[in-house]
Amino acid sequence: GHMPVCRVCHVTLKLFQRPSKLLCSYCGHSEPAPEQCGVCHGTVFRFTGMGTQGVEEEVTRIFPAAKVARFDREHVKTNREAHAILAAYRQGEIQILIGTEWLFHRLDPPRASLVGFPQADLGLHIPDFRSAERTFHTLFQAVEMAGQGTNPGEVILQTRMRDHHVVQAIGTQDPERFYRPELSLRDLLGYPPFAHLVLLVVAGGQASKVHLAVEFLKHKLEKLFQADIKAQSTVGLGPNASFLGPIHSQKSGRRQKMRTLFLIKTGDLPAVRQRLRVLQQEYQQRFPSLPVVVETHVDPMEIN
């Protein structure tokens, strides 16, 4: 259950097997993949994961007499299909419903006397500072599916991280056990709501053109934030700003094949906006017709 995190950004490190390394998707920090666990010092690793199809096969094997259905974006394509499956479940024609969090996004999520959540802590390993927040909300919605009132259902969470503040908050149904440590961590590391994030996305279809824009932006950002980086406090962000990048994005756009990211953290958003306006003017003067798109996102919900 040990989760290696970046010492700078405190987000989960991604594992790459060729070559074998751990990589931070925020700052680009890289380190060799460990040969032994940092907690138990074990040397045997098993890489596991199971989607809804795997769960369906296992449930069908254990309960061969039960009618089982899947509810995910790959299996349910239209609202009509979704309505039909949920109606059959409510009428008892389907005894076991296996779904993803897409089930929670319905206006009429079903209720169940028993809700099981396999590998409930997987969301905590996503390399995003909001991973704990999203996991908490997902698990909270799972608890709501079990119903409230005089005849509540039962919720079973499978986890290797029983001491994590998200799991503790869900287990005790006390949201404060999530909010307090999460807010303290955000404050310490300079993440929203105590600071602002500005994400610059550089995208284009030609790698050489994207590289040209990225090098220009990196040089300019270093000059714009040089004083702030030197004055950066070791605890908390304060009014200073810092930037991370360039970071190669693992997500490709529909048309733009190459995506590179810069992430700016600041306690003074108006000042950063002013600097970025200057940067935008210099970029447009330097590259008036470069086939590269540069997007700016303030406090983005996803960083990828």
Side-chain angles (χ1 to χ4, degrees):
H2 174 59
M3 180 173 61
V5 299
C6 176
R7 295 186 296 271
V8 178
C9 310
H10 205 77
V11 298
T12 308
L13 296 173
K14 286 184 178 180
L15 172 66
F16 291 83
Q17 295 185 335
R18 295 182 183 85
S20 182
K21 64 179 179 179
L22 298 175
L23 182 69
C24 175
S25 20
Y26 278 22
C27 70
H29 166 74
S30 176
E31 59 187 62
E35 296 183 357
Q36 66 177 14
C37 174
V39 175
C40 71
H41 307 294
T43 58
V44 179
F45 294 86
R46 181 178 64 181
F47 303 99
T48 62
M50 181 176 290
T52 52
Q53 185 176 3
V55 175
E56 181 184 25
E57 292 173 355
E58 185 69 8
V59 167
T60 302
R61 184 186 67 81
I62 298 174
F63 304 102
K67 176 65 175 177
V68 181
R70 283 167 55 196
F71 195 96
D72 55 34
R73 292 185 183 275
E74 294 182 358
H75 193 67
V76 181
K77 302 296 184 181
T78 66
N79 283 331
R80 179 177 295 181
E81 292 175 338
H83 179 76
I85 290 177
L86 294 181
Y89 172 76
R90 291 189 175 97
Q91 293 168 7
E93 300 172 11
I94 296 173
Q95 285 80 49
I96 302 176
L97 185 62
I98 300 170
T100 62
E101 60 181 293
W102 189 39
L103 199 58
F104 307 142
H105 298 164
R106 304 289 304 177
L107 295 176
D108 53 345
R111 300 293 180 184
S113 58
L114 175 63
V115 177
F117 214 111
Q119 297 180 317
D121 51 30
L122 278 184
L124 298 174
H125 300 271
I126 296 174
D128 191 310
F129 78 92
R130 287 191 176 93
S131 59
E133 178 183 353
R134 289 173 174 154
T135 301
F136 172 77
H137 283 294
T138 298
L139 297 181
F140 190 84
Q141 289 170 315
V143 171
E144 286 189 324
M145 286 183 64
Q148 306 291 332
T150 57
N151 190 27
E154 183 179 3
V155 179
I156 299 176
L157 304 181
Q158 180 191 36
T159 178
R160 294 176 180 269
M161 305 175 68
R162 295 180 60 180
D163 295 331
H164 195 283
H165 58 284
V166 168
V167 178
Q168 289 289 314
I170 294 297
T172 59
Q173 297 190 48
D174 180 8
E176 287 294 325
R177 296 190 70 170
F178 163 71
Y179 293 132
R180 286 194 299 269
E182 186 68 14
L183 284 173
S184 297
L185 190 62
R186 298 275 188 96
D187 188 16
L188 179 67
L189 297 171
Y191 286 120
F194 300 98
H196 291 282
L197 297 181
V198 180
L199 178 67
L200 300 183
V201 181
V202 187
Q206 303 177 44
S208 61
K209 303 295 185 183
V210 173
H211 179 72
L212 193 64
V214 167
E215 287 301 311
F216 174 83
L217 292 171
K218 177 185 177 183
H219 174 70
K220 291 297 182 180
L221 287 169
E222 287 175 347
K223 291 183 63 177
L224 286 173
F225 295 103
Q226 186 175 18
D228 285 314
I229 294 172
K230 289 182 179 179
Q232 182 69 45
S233 172
T234 56
V235 179
L237 189 64
N240 300 312
S242 63
F243 85 94
L244 304 172
I247 309 159
H248 177 66
S249 173
Q250 301 298 315
K251 175 183 176 182
S252 296
R254 294 181 180 178
R255 296 182 180 178
Q256 289 85 15
K257 302 299 181 182
M258 304 294 299
R259 298 177 82 251
T260 302
L261 313 176
F262 292 94
L263 185 65
I264 301 169
K265 299 167 68 174
T266 179
D268 188 351
L269 184 60
V272 168
R273 281 177 167 163
Q274 183 61 36
R275 297 183 199 183
L276 291 180
R277 290 190 188 101
V278 174
L279 177 59
Q280 181 184 25
Q281 293 173 357
E282 294 180 353
Y283 179 86
Q284 291 174 345
Q285 292 174 359
R286 177 68 176 82
F287 303 111
S289 59
L290 191 70
V292 174
V293 176
V294 181
E295 299 176 349
T296 304
H297 303 272
V298 177
D299 290 332
M301 292 305 296
E302 293 186 0
I303 302 172
N304 53 29

